[in-house]
Amino acid sequence: RIELIVEDSRSSLKDAVSAFNKLVFQEKVRIVIGDIISGTTLAVAPIAEKNHVILFAPGASNPKLRDAGDYIFRNWTSDDFDGLAMAKYLMKKDVQELGLLVQKTDYTIGLAEALVKELTQPTADGSNSRRIISRQEFETNDSDLRTQLGKLKESGATNVYVSAYSPGTGLALKQAQELAYTPAWYATLTADTPECGSIAGDARNGVVFTTPTFNID
């Protein structure tokens, strides 16, 4: 028999730790499923590891989780692999200059850094000329990204990678359209969510994004 006990992390580091402690020390739970957010998962992982509680995080993707401990598991591709996939696509498209718009979270920063590392990695003969010409960041609760978008536009970035959660991705695309800023957009899987679509509308058309897929072979 399995008894399900549910606590809400509210996507908050503080609330996640509080909820996890309650599950482990009050409810005496030995297996925890969640969180889906990388930051909150990393926050509770040391507690799980120290107390030998299995933590299975569906969706958490930060590369640091690989070394979080023997009791920590996930079923999602790491951000470094996701970023690598987009970097290889951009290289195939011969994109030489890229602008970045990055939300300040563990997940979104991890993705951007993995992409930048691969895209700008020096070759043996020093022939790699690809570079990041502008990197703009924003907070999760920011509702106006026009300043960051304006700086990207001023930099001359005609290719922009946005690494954000669904609302941030949708907001960036919508406000860029309002500013008549029309670079080639590249994004994470958050571009494919209903939430992003409801915010961005037709500004989402043409965005190229990465997403894990199951290959039965």
Side-chain angles (χ1 to χ4, degrees), residues 163-198:
S163 184
Y165 285 107
S166 299
T169 300
L171 188 65
L173 296 172
K174 178 179 182 235
Q175 293 186 344
Q177 185 183 63
E178 293 169 353
L179 292 172
Y181 180 39
T182 56
W185 285 101
Y186 304 93
T188 71
L189 56 81
T190 60
D192 194 36
T193 62
E195 187 175 12
C196 177
S198 67

Side-chain angles (χ1 to χ4, degrees), residues 12 40 48 50 70 85 88 94 106-107 112-113 121 129 146 164 168 170 172-173 180 189 202 214 216:
S12 156
T40 48
K50 182 179 179 180
D70 296 332
K88 288 191 176 299
D94 197 29
D106 288 330
Y107 164 61
E113 290 181 348
Q121 184 171 295
S129 59
R146 291 177 180 86
L173 296 172
L189 56 81
D202 63 3
F214 177 66
I216 200 167

Side-chain angles (χ1 to χ4, degrees), residues 129-140:
S129 59
R130 291 181 291 270
R131 64 192 185 99
I132 306 302
I133 61 173
S134 179
R135 175 171 177 149
Q136 303 299 319
E137 296 184 344
F138 65 94
E139 303 289 349
T140 297

Side-chain angles (χ1 to χ4, degrees), residues 11-214:
S11 299
S12 156
L13 303 187
K14 180 180 178 181
D15 289 337
V17 170
S18 176
F20 196 83
N21 281 333
K22 182 180 178 183
L23 289 172
V24 173
F25 299 114
Q26 292 185 32
E27 304 291 351
K28 306 300 181 183
V29 166
R30 306 312 299 164
I31 300 173
V32 177
I33 299 176
D35 200 350
I36 196 171
I37 304 296
S38 291
T40 48
T41 304
L42 286 166
V44 302
I47 306 171
E49 186 67 14
K50 182 179 179 180
N51 293 279
H52 296 181
V53 173
I54 291 176
L55 173 63
F56 188 91
S61 55
N62 190 281
K64 294 177 184 176
L65 285 167
R66 184 183 293 114
D67 303 312
D70 296 332
Y71 288 80
I72 318 303
F73 302 87
R74 62 176 168 192
N75 64 342
W76 198 255
T77 53
S78 174
D79 292 336
D80 50 9
F81 181 81
D82 197 335
L84 173 68
M86 179 57 84
K88 288 191 176 299
Y89 179 82
L90 294 172
M91 291 159 69
K92 185 178 178 181
K93 297 286 288 183
D94 197 29
V95 171
Q96 293 294 313
E97 295 183 334
L98 184 69
L100 294 178
L101 182 60
V102 184
Q103 184 176 339
K104 293 181 182 178
T105 73
D106 288 330
Y107 164 61
T108 48
I109 291 174
L111 270 171
E113 290 181 348
L115 179 146
V116 170
K117 180 180 178 181
E118 179 66 22
L119 193 68
T120 60
Q121 184 171 295
T123 54
D125 60 1
S127 61
N128 185 4
S129 59
R130 291 181 291 270
R131 64 192 185 99
I132 306 302
I133 61 173
S134 179
R135 175 171 177 149
Q136 303 299 319
E137 296 184 344
F138 65 94
E139 303 289 349
T140 297
N141 59 356
D142 286 348
S143 59
D144 188 347
L145 307 181
R146 291 177 180 86
T147 298
Q148 292 91 331
L149 290 165
K151 289 180 180 178
L152 284 166
K153 187 176 182 179
E154 289 172 8
S155 75
T158 56
N159 297 279
V160 176
Y161 178 69
V162 54
S163 184
Y165 285 107
S166 299
T169 300
L171 188 65
L173 296 172
K174 178 179 182 235
Q175 293 186 344
Q177 185 183 63
E178 293 169 353
L179 292 172
Y181 180 39
T182 56
W185 285 101
Y186 304 93
T188 71
L189 56 81
T190 60
D192 194 36
T193 62
E195 187 175 12
C196 177
S198 67
I199 297 171
D202 63 3
R204 189 172 61 158
N205 294 347
V207 175
V208 175
F209 64 92
T210 52
T211 187
T213 184
F214 177 66

